[in-house]
């Protein structure tokens, strides 16, 4: 029987993941269908009620992948309770009668590149350590350039003169990125689309609104889980700043976390866990920079971000910067979220006009 490897979705990051595993394993890689209501319903149906949204959506991804004949599932989530979900997800899927191999790449609650290499070597005996690190660096190059281009997207697309110009180019870019074959072509593609982005006509007022998005990583990076709140804000001509990306989580967080803790020392003394320390430090940073507002999002039941919520409200009071909190569960209403976003936007406009 042929081996078919699959993994959960998180935004567009399936692109570097597919590239990486295709090359190091020489096996078929199945990207699950994009997350839809069906994915959510499947995950919710078989998940414990109290568990967070990432667990439910990931479980739905796994079920859809298994239904499409995937037989090897991989998991690489860590940093909080998510790092301990693999065993429970595996048992749920086995209780449902699915036959598969489940591979967990987490060691000490972090992704282990050596566990990935061991797995890849079992699938592809011709793989050596040099090829492995070449494809790892190539995949990271894809990831980093994606995040850099997305930074321009969030900065420029809210002010495009022709609606959906940036979105159309972003879609084309990601399709071409799926066909990339190495580091040089990836970098070349990045510079090509950076130039395309900068050539799109925009009308950016000098007094435009600037908002920071922060909170729990999955809610920030998987648009479906938060009803695409980031794009909805950009549709209101709001420039978005978001630090939480895979580039930050994989390559920068280890070095920046202590710095963030130091900068926020008047509000927190210890690391709050997951992404919550960054939420506090970045709220403080952009409050001092006189940004217009903070949007704090998390999945329901995310304890670290729950601990940060009251601290963010204290910073909001101390620096007179509006902070709105969103806690997403699979049973939430998109209509309710849109209503709150509209009210938050109106408040920012009124606050700006009253200065």
């Amino acid at each position: 029987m042929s081996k078919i490897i699959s993994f959960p979705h998180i935004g567009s990051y399936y692109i570097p993941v597919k590239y990486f595993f295709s090359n190091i394993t020489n096996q078929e890689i199945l990207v699950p269908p994009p997350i839809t209501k069906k994915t959510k319903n499947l995950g919710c149906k078989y998940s414990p009620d109290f568990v967070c949204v990432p667990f439910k959506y990931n479980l739905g991804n796994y079920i859809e992948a298994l239904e499409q004949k995937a037989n090897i599932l991989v998991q690489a989530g860590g940093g909080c309770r998510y790092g301990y979900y693999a065993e429970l997800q595996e048992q749920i899927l086995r209780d449902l009668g699915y036959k598969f191999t489940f591979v967990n790449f987490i060691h000490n609650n972090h992704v282990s590149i050596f566990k990935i290499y061991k797995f890849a070597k079992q699938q592809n005996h011709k793989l050596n350590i040099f090829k492995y690190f070449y494809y790892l660096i190539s995949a990271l190059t894809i990831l980093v350039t994606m995040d850099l281009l997305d930074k321009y997207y969030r900065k420029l697309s809210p002010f495009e003169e022709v609606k959906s110009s940036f979105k159309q180019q972003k879609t084309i870019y990601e399709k071409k990125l799926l066909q990339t074959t190495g580091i040089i072509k990836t970098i070349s593609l990045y510079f090509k689309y950076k130039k395309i982005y900068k050539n799109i006509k925009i009308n950016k007022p000098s007094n435009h609104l600037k908002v920071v998005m922060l909170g729990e990583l999955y809610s920030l990076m998987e648009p479906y889980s938060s009803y695409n709140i980031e794009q909805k804000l950009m549709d209101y001509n709001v420039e978005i700043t978001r630090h939480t990306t895979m580039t930050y989580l994989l390559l920068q967080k280890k070095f920046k976390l202590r710095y963030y803790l130091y900068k926020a020392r008047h509000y927190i003394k210890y690391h709050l866990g997951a992404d919550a320390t960054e939420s506090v430090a970045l709220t403080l940073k952009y409050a001092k920079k006189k940004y217009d507002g903070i949007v704090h999002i998390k999945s329901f039941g995310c304890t670290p971000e729950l601990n940060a919520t009251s601290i963010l409200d204290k910073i909001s009071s101390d620096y007179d910067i509006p902070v709105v909190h969103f806690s997403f569960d699979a049973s939430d209403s998109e209509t309710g979220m849109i209503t709150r976003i509209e009210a938050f936007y109106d408040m920012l406009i009124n606050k700006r006009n009253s200065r």
Side-chain angles (χ1 to χ4, degrees):
M1 183 175 66
S2 61
K3 296 179 179 179
I4 304 175
I5 302 170
S6 192
F7 52 88
H9 267 290
I10 182 164
S12 297
Y13 291 117
Y14 67 89
I15 296 171
V17 173
K18 182 180 181 182
Y19 168 87
F20 182 50
F21 281 103
S22 295
N23 284 287
I24 65 172
T25 66
N26 279 342
Q27 303 291 356
E28 180 181 348
I29 308 300
L30 189 153
V31 178
I35 297 177
T36 61
K37 188 175 181 180
K38 177 185 176 183
T39 313
K40 179 175 71 173
N41 290 342
L42 282 170
C44 292
K45 182 177 181 179
Y46 299 110
S47 298
D49 289 338
F50 59 83
V51 81
C52 68
V53 165
F55 184 103
K56 296 172 181 176
Y57 285 136
N58 285 181
L59 188 66
N61 285 151
Y62 285 141
I63 292 172
E64 288 185 307
L66 289 166
E67 290 294 331
Q68 292 191 6
K69 309 305 179 184
N71 48 35
I72 299 178
L73 303 179
V74 300
Q75 204 258 39
C80 59
R81 289 180 297 180
Y82 191 87
Y84 304 99
Y85 284 164
E87 293 82 359
L88 180 55
Q89 288 172 332
E90 179 182 4
Q91 190 57 56
I92 290 171
L93 293 171
R94 295 202 185 284
D95 288 346
L96 291 173
Y98 292 109
K99 307 296 181 184
F100 60 96
T101 300
F102 197 97
V103 185
N104 184 5
F105 296 133
I106 298 300
H107 177 70
N108 290 335
N109 212 21
H110 295 285
V111 179
S112 169
I113 60 174
F114 298 106
K115 288 185 76 171
I116 297 174
Y117 175 70
K118 183 179 178 181
F119 164 75
K121 189 72 174 174
Q122 291 171 348
Q123 310 304 318
N124 178 12
H125 299 299
K126 294 182 179 180
L127 181 71
N128 59 52
I129 195 71
F130 301 105
K131 284 186 177 180
Y132 173 74
F133 276 102
Y134 170 78
Y135 289 120
L136 176 62
I137 293 169
S138 296
L140 289 173
T141 303
I142 295 173
L143 185 149
V144 170
T145 52
M146 282 177 61
D147 285 339
L148 286 172
L149 208 59
D150 277 350
K151 185 176 179 180
Y152 285 105
Y153 182 86
R154 289 189 288 272
K155 188 179 182 69
L156 301 175
S157 69
F159 313 103
E160 61 191 5
E161 290 189 359
V162 180
K163 189 173 177 60
S164 298
S165 297
F166 280 91
K167 193 177 292 184
Q168 289 171 5
Q169 292 299 329
K170 178 179 167 71
T171 301
I172 296 169
Y173 166 70
E174 290 181 350
K175 286 180 179 178
K176 290 185 176 181
L177 204 54
L178 275 168
Q179 301 166 3
T180 191
T181 55
I183 296 172
I184 294 175
K185 288 190 176 182
T186 298
I187 294 173
S188 175
L189 197 63
Y190 162 71
F191 281 110
K192 176 183 177 181
Y193 275 85
K194 180 181 176 182
K195 185 176 180 180
I196 289 173
Y197 276 21
K198 289 192 173 183
N199 286 335
I200 294 174
K201 289 184 178 181
I202 63 172
N203 181 15
K204 190 174 185 178
S206 58
N207 63 339
H208 63 279
L209 294 176
K210 295 190 290 185
V211 166
V212 181
M213 299 278 298
L214 46 80
E216 181 261 328
L217 68 91
Y218 188 87
S219 300
L220 286 168
M221 296 192 296
E222 174 45 60
Y224 189 92
S225 72
S226 60
Y227 300 110
N228 215 350
I229 188 172
E230 184 175 280
Q231 184 61 53
K232 286 181 171 61
L233 276 168
M234 288 191 285
D235 290 341
Y236 287 124
N237 307 118
V238 176
E239 179 183 330
I240 301 296
T241 296
R242 170 162 65 84
H243 283 259
T244 301
T245 62
M246 279 297 180
T247 299
Y248 171 74
L249 294 170
L250 296 177
L251 303 176
Q252 300 172 344
K253 180 168 182 169
K254 183 178 180 180
F255 306 102
K256 287 190 173 182
L257 189 57
R258 187 171 293 180
Y259 168 77
Y260 282 143
L261 189 58
Y262 171 76
K263 297 299 287 186
R265 64 191 182 278
H266 297 303
Y267 291 92
I268 52 175
K269 291 185 178 181
Y270 308 101
H271 177 39
L272 298 176
D275 312 292
T277 300
E278 292 94 324
S279 293
V280 174
L282 291 172
T283 298
L284 183 60
K285 175 182 177 178
Y286 287 100
K288 290 179 177 179
K289 285 191 172 187
K290 304 299 182 182
Y291 266 55
D292 294 286
I294 306 290
V295 177
H296 177 231
I297 67 177
K298 66 180 183 68
S299 61
F300 178 78
C302 179
T303 306
E305 294 299 335
L306 190 62
N307 291 335
T309 299
S310 59
I311 306 172
L312 267 56
D313 290 338
K314 179 71 169 74
I315 297 173
S316 171
S317 175
D318 291 348
Y319 287 87
D320 189 29
I321 182 170
V323 176
V324 62
H325 304 281
F326 288 90
S327 184
F328 294 102
D329 197 2
S331 59
D332 287 335
S333 163
E334 183 177 6
T335 304
M337 183 275 292
I338 292 173
T339 301
R340 291 187 63 204
I341 276 293
E342 288 174 346
F344 181 67
Y345 172 75
D346 289 342
M347 180 183 65
L348 296 183
I349 290 291
N350 292 334
K351 190 172 186 293
R352 171 67 66 84
N353 293 337
S354 66
R355 288 177 182 172

